[in-house]
Amino acid sequence: MPEKLSQILADYTGMPSSEVIRLLGMSQRDIYADSAYKRMVEQLPSNLLYETLPQARTAYERYLPQFAEILATRYGMKNTPMSAFTLGNWLVGFVEQPTAIINLSKIHSRLPQQAVIEMLPEMIGMLDGMSEGRESWQRALALMALPLAARREQ
């Protein structure tokens, strides 16, 4: 796992780098069951995320077409259903029902791990222009993406 990725995840989640590295070495299923990971998710401010959902969607709408193009050209993934509405809802749903988020790894099973690793910094950066809730949205996105960047089940 690239050192840069673990540092980015540490910076945005607030976890020590050693903890991020430990989690990235686990399977996705084990990360979702990990008490430290679950505690970080539980600490996300669900009310603030819900209240600022329209701002996050606006930020995502500006940049998601670029990411769809990268997925299509670099990874051969055409017709990806990701939208600003979907991504925003997944993040809020992730916070409100963290036990159901294991389905996210199933839904994204065809998304190459390398795509998550390469594109995560820019995905987090899409939210830089938010006037309110930016840090919480970036932390939530980093936490949601962490298992998708980890070892895949065989």
Side-chain angles (χ1 to χ4, degrees), residues 66-143:
Q66 295 170 257
F67 286 92
E69 181 63 28
I70 291 169
L71 287 174
T73 57
R74 195 176 299 166
Y75 298 100
M77 295 184 68
K78 297 185 183 337
N79 303 322
T80 57
M82 180 60 65
S83 71
F85 185 83
T86 304
L87 183 54
N89 285 0
W90 277 347
L91 274 166
V92 171
F94 171 56
V95 174
E96 292 178 353
Q97 297 180 344
T99 56
I101 201 63
I102 194 163
N103 294 325
L104 187 65
S105 62
K106 293 174 188 166
I107 293 167
H108 287 85
S109 62
R110 70 182 193 109
L111 180 65
Q113 179 186 25
Q114 191 60 33
V116 176
I117 292 168
E118 287 179 12
M119 297 171 70
L120 184 60
E122 288 81 14
M123 294 234 13
I124 291 172
M126 285 192 288
L127 300 163
D128 282 342
M130 288 182 66
S131 60
E132 183 184 1
R134 175 186 50 83
E135 289 178 9
S136 295
W137 273 93
Q138 289 175 325
R139 185 178 318 115
L141 181 58
L143 283 168

Side-chain angles (χ1 to χ4, degrees), residues 4-92:
K4 181 181 177 184
L5 174 68
S6 61
Q7 189 57 55
I8 288 167
L9 287 168
D11 290 346
Y12 284 102
T13 63
M15 286 188 237
S17 293
S18 59
E19 182 68 1
V20 171
I21 291 168
R22 180 185 74 82
L23 289 169
L24 287 171
M26 300 167 74
S27 70
Q28 292 174 340
R29 182 183 325 276
D30 290 342
I31 292 171
Y32 292 126
D34 186 81
S35 60
Y37 178 78
K38 289 197 291 192
R39 207 171 21 260
M40 291 299 295
V41 172
E42 290 167 359
Q43 292 173 358
L44 290 167
S46 58
N47 287 344
L48 177 62
L49 292 171
Y50 185 75
E51 290 169 10
T52 56
L53 179 56
Q55 289 180 26
R57 283 184 183 144
T58 298
Y60 288 142
E61 283 173 354
R62 271 186 246 136
Y63 298 103
L64 278 178
Q66 295 170 257
F67 286 92
E69 181 63 28
I70 291 169
L71 287 174
T73 57
R74 195 176 299 166
Y75 298 100
M77 295 184 68
K78 297 185 183 337
N79 303 322
T80 57
M82 180 60 65
S83 71
F85 185 83
T86 304
L87 183 54
N89 285 0
W90 277 347
L91 274 166
V92 171

